[in-house]
């Protein structure tokens, strides 16, 4: 009878636990299944690949050979990739995995670790006390441990960054591990070396790792002062700042001091070059950070409700240490992300480290709230909590379907960008076989995949991997927030870039600027005078790709006219409206394009050839070929290098069966764009 009782008691404990593990496996399975829809590599990941490749091949921990610039913010990740690269090329690993594949596999593995850590953290924080061994109570508790994991698995930030091949999921995993070790220590009066060790790794992985450590250690100090049994405030402070705390800070600081020394000796600066290129403490950045948070709150926090409800847990005096720490961490992290202006990359990457904590707190606040409202009828409280939990899962599922649309747009853009940059890299390599690629200079803003697949020297015009631009930015009159550009980076130095005389300049959006740094280049008279738009045909994309090319022929010269820089806004708007008109096949947008083009001409007559080309393309795509021909002829006459205008003139002449004029256009195009017709027998 006694054995039967123990067996029954054991089953009431183990069965819910096994069900919890099974539920976790099901969530992971569906999470991995969702990753299949988003198979891409973020362009920024290739920057780390280039550093790892250069380091492994003995060129130093550099982006461009001979230039010591710390253009990465993930030292530990670069070291991990370097190790895999060396093992593979030494034939120790026989898997023949590229850096792309290795980094993506690691990114996915650590994303699964995030889900597992979220489950473990929830079970650790809310471990049931002895005596609470009923089957229903334990099963319900396991359910509340799984709901935050389910919410996280249905969040586009984790899905998007899990497949991105970046270090993001490793950072989140180490952050959760540091938090877990700190909580498990339970405020014991001894040093916990495990959370120190994980914090050091996290700080070597990302600079934000130092923030994670600072938030944990600051909570330890504040909690020790506020909840101390001592009556005297001086004794409280003295007890909080004890030898154990000093030992923990020393253990954390020593390896980072060594790394900082290496950084100063090797690169010459205490912080990564990206910090100087991106950071700008201003009111504008705070406004941007507020918008970044509000977008996140509207997408995943029910406009802040998911973040506010957990505040009720502060009434739970029994778990005040755990709850105060988690809330301290979440709100402090949120404020810091607002102050730094959020992230330039999409899908709320910077809030991913606190999303597991927010979801854990929110889910646990639900039953606690109902227990306060209905204190005497626990079964009713549990039933309502169970219903609320089901509603949360339904809302999370529907919200994922909604947020997935935006995620797929970002995924489509990023995968398309990487494909395009690979094609640019291949074209430049093939085009300049006779010249050493290390001597070819290419200036661009999207440096990642292009730099990895090309051996050219890349000038990063936004300054992330360029020391001079990051430390000597130079504003250009007329460039402000009214410009309809996608990029947020405001550090650039167009004069410096042009003084380097890059052989090619690439804009990811084609022939129009989409970043402030590109706008600055576009407005320089030297850019208009020394570069022309060459086009080449891509069989893979089945389209022409433009690339600004340094003029080699001294006879090519455009008249220099002083322009009002305000023309650039109208030029970008005209291009955007044209693309929208073509995409939607909406002829009603045509007058808007023409009006914007006319505004450009009034402010900058020097843009006459480009503007008439755009007008010609607009009428061409609406079927008005005679009007299109008129504008394209003007554009071609004003600029002998204008291959785009001549290509569409060729198409019009051929449609008119005017083959002599069509062949004439082809010859003129090949003169300045020799790869426009790769299959043409010359």
């Amino acid at each position: 009878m006694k054995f039967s009782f123990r067996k029954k008691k054991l089953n009431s404990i183990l069965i819910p636990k096994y069900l919890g593990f099974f539920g976790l496996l099901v969530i992971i399975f569906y999470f991995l299944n969702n990753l299949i829809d988003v198979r891409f590599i973020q362009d920024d990941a290739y920057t780390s690949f280039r550093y790892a490749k250069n380091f492994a091949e003995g060129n130093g921990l550099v982006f461009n050979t001979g230039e010591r610039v710390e253009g990465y913010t993930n030292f530990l990740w670069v070291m991990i990739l370097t190790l895999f690269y060396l093992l593979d090329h030494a034939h120790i690993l026989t898997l023949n995995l590229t850096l792309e594949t290795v980094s993506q596999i690691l990114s996915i593995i650590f994303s699964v670790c995030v889900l597992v850590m979220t489950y473990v953290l929830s079970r650790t924080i809310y471990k049931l006390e002895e005596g609470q061994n009923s089957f229903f109570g334990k099963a319900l508790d396991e359910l509340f441990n799984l709901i935050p994991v389910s919410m996280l698995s249905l969040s586009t930030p984790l899905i998007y960054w899990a497949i991105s091949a970046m270090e993001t999921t490793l950072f989140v995993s180490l952050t959760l591990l540091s938090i877990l070790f700190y909580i498990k220590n339970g405020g014991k009066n001894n040093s916990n070396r495990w959370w120190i060790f994980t914090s050091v790794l996290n700080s070597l992985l990302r600079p934000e790792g130092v923030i994670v450590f600072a938030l944990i250690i600051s909570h330890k100090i504040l909690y020790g002062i506020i909840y101390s049994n001592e009556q005297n405030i001086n004794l409280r402070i003295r007890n909080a700042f004890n030898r154990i705390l000093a030992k923990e800070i020393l253990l954390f600081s020593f390896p980072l001091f060594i790394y900082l020394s290496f950084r100063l000796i090797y690169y010459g600066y205490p912080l990564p070059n990206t910090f100087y290129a991106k950071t700008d403490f201003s009111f504008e950045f705070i406004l941007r950070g507020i918008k970044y948070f509000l977008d996140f709150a509207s997408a995943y926090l029910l406009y802040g409700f998911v973040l506010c409800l957990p505040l009720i847990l502060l009434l739970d005096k029994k778990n005040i240490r755990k709850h105060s720490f988690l809330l301290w961490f979440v709100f402090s992290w949120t404020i810091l992300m607002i102050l730094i202006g959020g992230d330039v990359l999409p899908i709320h990457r910077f809030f991913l480290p606190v999303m597991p904590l927010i979801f854990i707190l929110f889910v646990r606040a639900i039953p606690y709230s109902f227990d306060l409202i209905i204190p005497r009828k626990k079964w009713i409280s549990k039933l309502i909590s169970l219903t609320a939990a089901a509603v949360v899962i339904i809302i999370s599922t529907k919200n994922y379907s909604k947020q997935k649309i935006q995620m797929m747009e970002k995924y489509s853009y990023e995968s398309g960008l990487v494909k395009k940059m690979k094609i640019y890299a291949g074209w430049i390599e093939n085009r300049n076989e006779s010249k050493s690629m290390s001597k070819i200079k290419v200036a661009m803003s999207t440096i990642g995949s292009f730099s990895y697949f090309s051996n050219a020297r890349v000038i990063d015009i936004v300054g992330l991997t360029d020391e001079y631009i990051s430390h000597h930015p130079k504003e250009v009159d007329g460039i402000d927030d009214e410009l309809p550009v996608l990029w947020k980076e405001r550090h650039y130095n167009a004069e410096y870039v042009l003084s380097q005389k890059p052989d090619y300049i690439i804009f990811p959006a084609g022939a129009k600027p989409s970043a402030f740094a590109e706008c600055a280049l576009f407005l320089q008279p030297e850019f208009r005078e020394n570069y022309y738009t060459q086009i080449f045909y891509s069989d893979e994309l089945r389209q022409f790709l433009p690339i600004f090319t340094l003029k080699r022929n001294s006879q090519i010269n455009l008249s220099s006219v002083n322009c009002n820089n305000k023309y650039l806004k109208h030029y970008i708007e005209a291009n955007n409206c044209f693309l929208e008109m073509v995409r939607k096949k909406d002829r009603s947008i045509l007058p808007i394009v023409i009006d914007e083009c006319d505004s450009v001409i009034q402010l900058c007559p020097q843009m006459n050839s480009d503007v008439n080309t755009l007008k010609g393309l607009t009428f061409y795509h609406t079927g008005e070929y005679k009007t299109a021909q008129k504008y394209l002829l003007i554009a071609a006459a004003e600029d002998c290098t204008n291959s785009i205008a001549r290509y569409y003139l060729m198409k019009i002449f051929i449609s008119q069966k005017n083959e002599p004029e069509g062949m004439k256009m082809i010859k003129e195009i090949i003169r300045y764009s020799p790869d426009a017709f790769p299959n043409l027998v010359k």
Side-chain angles (χ1 to χ4, degrees):
M1 189 76 178
K2 190 175 181 181
F3 175 77
S4 177
F5 174 76
R6 286 182 177 178
K7 184 177 180 181
K8 185 177 180 181
K9 185 177 179 181
L10 189 64
N11 287 338
S12 71
I13 296 172
L14 293 179
I15 292 176
K17 188 175 181 179
Y18 291 146
L19 289 175
F21 291 156
F22 177 74
L24 180 62
L25 290 175
V26 171
I27 291 171
I28 291 171
F29 173 79
Y30 279 102
F31 170 74
L32 294 175
N33 188 59
N34 286 332
L35 294 184
I36 297 173
D37 294 333
V38 196
R39 287 169 291 183
F40 84 108
I41 294 180
Q42 185 78 16
D43 186 69
D44 296 63
Y46 287 95
T47 302
S48 301
F49 299 168
R50 174 143 161 161
Y51 272 96
K53 183 181 177 182
N54 276 335
F55 189 46
E57 293 180 351
N59 297 319
L61 196 53
V62 296
F63 184 75
N64 289 318
T65 303
E67 298 177 12
R68 291 189 179 184
V69 183
E70 189 180 4
Y72 57 87
T73 53
N74 51 2
F75 173 77
L76 183 59
W77 187 253
V78 172
M79 292 299 102
I80 293 171
L81 295 179
T82 302
L83 178 62
F84 273 97
Y85 188 91
L86 288 170
L87 291 175
D88 184 60
H89 282 69
H91 303 292
I92 297 174
L93 290 178
T94 57
L95 300 175
N96 294 322
L97 297 177
T98 64
L99 285 180
E100 296 170 278
T101 306
V102 167
S103 59
Q104 199 164 50
I105 290 173
L106 291 175
S107 186
I108 293 171
I109 289 172
F110 290 121
S111 69
V112 173
C113 289
V114 170
L115 295 176
V116 174
M117 286 297 303
T118 302
Y119 174 73
V120 172
L121 191 59
S122 181
R123 291 188 88 248
T124 302
I125 295 171
Y126 300 101
K127 187 176 182 179
L128 288 176
E129 297 177 358
E130 291 295 329
Q132 293 179 295
N133 294 325
S134 70
F135 179 86
F136 178 74
K138 284 193 169 294
L140 188 63
D141 188 66
E142 285 297 332
L143 176 63
F144 281 111
N145 288 329
L146 289 173
I147 292 174
V149 184
S150 179
M151 293 172 69
L152 194 61
S153 71
L154 291 169
S155 68
T156 53
L158 183 60
I159 293 171
Y160 185 88
W161 293 108
I163 201 74
S164 68
M166 291 182 68
E167 75 288 346
T168 305
T169 54
L170 175 55
F171 176 76
V172 179
S173 298
L174 288 173
T175 298
L176 294 178
L177 198 58
S178 296
I179 290 170
L180 179 65
F181 285 138
Y182 174 68
I183 288 176
K184 286 190 76 171
N185 197 44
K188 296 176 183 176
N189 196 25
N190 57 23
S191 59
N192 187 334
R193 297 183 181 182
W194 281 110
W195 85 267
I196 300 295
F197 176 70
T198 53
S199 295
V200 169
L201 291 179
N202 217 13
S203 300
L204 293 174
L205 178 67
R206 294 282 308 176
E208 298 95 314
V210 177
I211 297 176
V212 173
F213 174 82
L215 291 179
I216 294 175
I217 207 77
S218 59
H219 175 266
K220 187 174 184 179
I221 295 169
L222 290 172
Y223 186 84
I225 294 173
I226 296 172
Y227 292 95
S228 173
N229 294 324
E230 297 288 347
Q231 297 296 321
N232 188 296
I233 187 65
N234 291 327
L235 286 176
R236 289 187 176 195
I237 295 173
R238 190 182 304 168
N239 290 339
F241 289 92
N242 53 29
R243 290 183 178 179
I244 294 172
L245 182 75
K247 184 178 179 182
E248 288 177 334
I249 294 175
L250 184 63
L251 287 172
F252 173 79
S253 302
F254 183 70
L256 291 187
F257 175 77
I258 296 174
Y259 176 54
L260 180 63
S261 300
F262 157 75
R263 180 182 276 160
L264 284 168
I265 294 169
Y266 195 79
Y267 294 115
Y269 293 96
L271 296 171
N273 193 69
T274 52
F275 173 84
Y276 304 104
K278 286 184 178 181
T279 308
D280 184 12
F281 297 104
S282 64
F283 185 65
E284 177 191 333
F285 261 60
I286 295 175
L287 291 177
R288 188 186 298 169
I290 292 172
K291 183 180 183 302
Y292 184 71
F293 167 71
L294 292 177
D295 288 342
F296 172 68
S298 64
Y300 290 102
L301 305 182
L302 292 175
Y303 299 94
F305 177 72
V306 174
L307 191 60
C308 293
L309 182 65
L311 291 172
I312 199 171
L313 293 172
L314 291 174
L315 299 175
D316 182 8
K317 300 302 181 183
K318 187 185 296 184
N319 295 305
I320 189 65
R321 182 178 179 275
K322 299 173 184 176
H323 290 149
S324 65
F325 167 67
L326 295 178
L327 288 168
W328 161 259
F329 193 96
V330 168
F331 280 94
S332 299
W333 184 274
T334 300
I335 292 169
L336 287 170
M337 293 307 105
I338 290 173
L339 291 176
I340 66 173
D343 190 15
V344 296
L345 296 179
I347 319 294
H348 308 113
R349 178 179 61 141
F350 280 1
F351 282 115
L352 190 53
V354 294
M355 286 182 74
L357 309 182
I358 294 172
F359 291 158
I360 290 172
L361 288 167
F362 172 70
V363 169
R364 289 295 175 165
I366 293 173
Y368 185 78
S369 301
F370 287 119
D371 284 343
L372 290 178
I373 297 170
I374 315 172
R376 296 184 180 179
K377 295 185 178 181
K378 295 291 184 182
W379 68 272
I380 296 178
S381 173
K382 290 183 186 300
L383 185 62
I384 296 174
S385 299
L386 193 61
T387 305
V391 172
V392 168
I393 294 174
I394 293 170
I395 291 174
S396 298
T397 304
K398 289 188 174 181
N399 188 56
Y400 171 66
S401 299
K402 179 183 176 183
Q403 298 300 324
K404 185 179 178 181
I405 297 172
Q406 181 185 10
M407 180 183 70
M408 295 307 289
E409 289 177 356
K410 299 297 183 183
Y411 145 76
S412 178
Y413 169 79
E414 200 66 30
S415 57
L417 174 66
V418 170
K419 181 187 289 186
K420 186 191 292 186
M421 291 301 115
K422 284 183 181 179
I423 292 169
Y424 270 115
W427 178 82
I428 287 180
E429 293 255 353
N430 294 332
R431 184 89 173 101
N432 297 277
E433 288 178 348
S434 61
K435 187 175 181 180
S436 173
M437 283 305 298
S438 61
K439 296 180 181 178
I440 296 292
K441 290 182 285 187
V442 182
M444 60 196 310
S445 54
T446 51
I447 61 172
S449 52
F450 176 88
S451 66
Y452 181 67
F453 292 104
S454 167
N455 293 317
R457 182 199 166 206
V458 177
I459 303 171
D460 182 0
I461 64 174
V462 296
L464 300 180
T465 60
D466 192 286
E467 179 185 329
Y468 189 88
I469 294 175
S470 63
H471 291 276
H472 303 91
K474 189 171 184 179
E475 289 280 339
V476 173
D477 183 43
I479 295 181
D480 51 41
D481 290 329
E482 292 184 2
L483 288 175
V485 296
L486 301 174
W487 291 54
K488 296 178 181 179
E489 286 90 342
R490 292 297 298 265
H491 283 214
Y492 53 82
N493 191 321
E495 290 183 9
Y496 161 77
V497 172
L498 292 174
S499 71
Q500 299 297 299
K501 291 183 170 47
D503 298 280
Y504 303 101
I505 298 175
I506 299 174
F507 290 174
K512 74 177 180 71
S514 60
F516 290 114
E518 294 170 0
C519 291
L521 281 175
F522 206 82
L523 291 174
Q524 300 299 310
E526 294 86 353
F527 175 77
R528 304 298 305 171
E529 292 172 4
N530 297 327
Y531 289 86
Y532 73 97
T533 306
Q534 180 178 178
I535 59 174
F536 67 92
Y537 185 76
S538 167
D539 287 320
E540 186 176 351
L541 296 179
R542 294 184 179 180
Q543 69 180 62
F544 286 102
L545 294 178
I547 182 167
F548 298 106
T549 306
L550 184 65
K551 296 174 182 176
R552 305 295 181 185
N553 191 336
S554 60
Q555 294 179 354
I556 303 174
N557 188 27
L558 299 176
S559 59
S560 180
V561 179
N562 290 328
C563 294
N564 185 328
N565 286 349
K566 291 182 179 180
Y567 85 83
L568 186 57
K569 177 184 177 182
H570 297 286
Y571 181 71
I572 298 174
E573 288 285 14
N575 277 276
N576 291 341
C577 290
F578 164 71
L579 293 173
E580 184 181 4
M581 184 198 77
V582 173
R583 181 171 54 87
K584 294 182 177 179
K585 298 181 180 178
D586 185 359
R587 195 188 182 285
S588 65
I589 302 177
L590 187 148
I592 302 174
V593 179
I594 301 304
D595 287 344
E596 293 290 348
C597 286
D598 289 339
S599 298
V600 174
I601 294 297
Q602 291 175 6
L603 294 169
C604 185
Q606 187 178 347
M607 290 291 295
N608 198 35
S609 180
D610 291 332
V611 169
N612 279 302
T613 299
L614 187 54
K615 284 184 177 181
L617 295 181
T618 304
F619 284 108
Y620 180 89
H621 283 280
T622 55
E624 300 179 45
Y625 299 127
K626 286 187 177 180
T627 308
Q629 181 178 338
K630 180 185 72 173
Y631 286 112
L632 292 170
L633 284 170
I634 296 172
E638 294 206 351
D639 181 5
C640 64
T641 70
N642 194 330
S643 297
I644 297 174
R646 285 176 170 78
Y647 172 75
Y648 280 91
L649 281 172
M650 177 207 73
K651 294 184 72 173
I652 292 173
F653 288 140
I654 290 176
S655 69
Q656 295 171 350
K657 297 183 179 180
N658 188 349
E659 292 186 5
E661 286 298 322
M663 291 304 298
K664 179 181 177 183
M665 290 297 111
I666 291 175
K667 290 179 180 178
E668 292 180 3
I669 292 169
I670 291 175
R671 182 180 177 188
Y672 298 108
S673 299
D675 292 322
F677 305 100
N679 298 321
L680 183 68
V681 178
K682 302 173 185 178

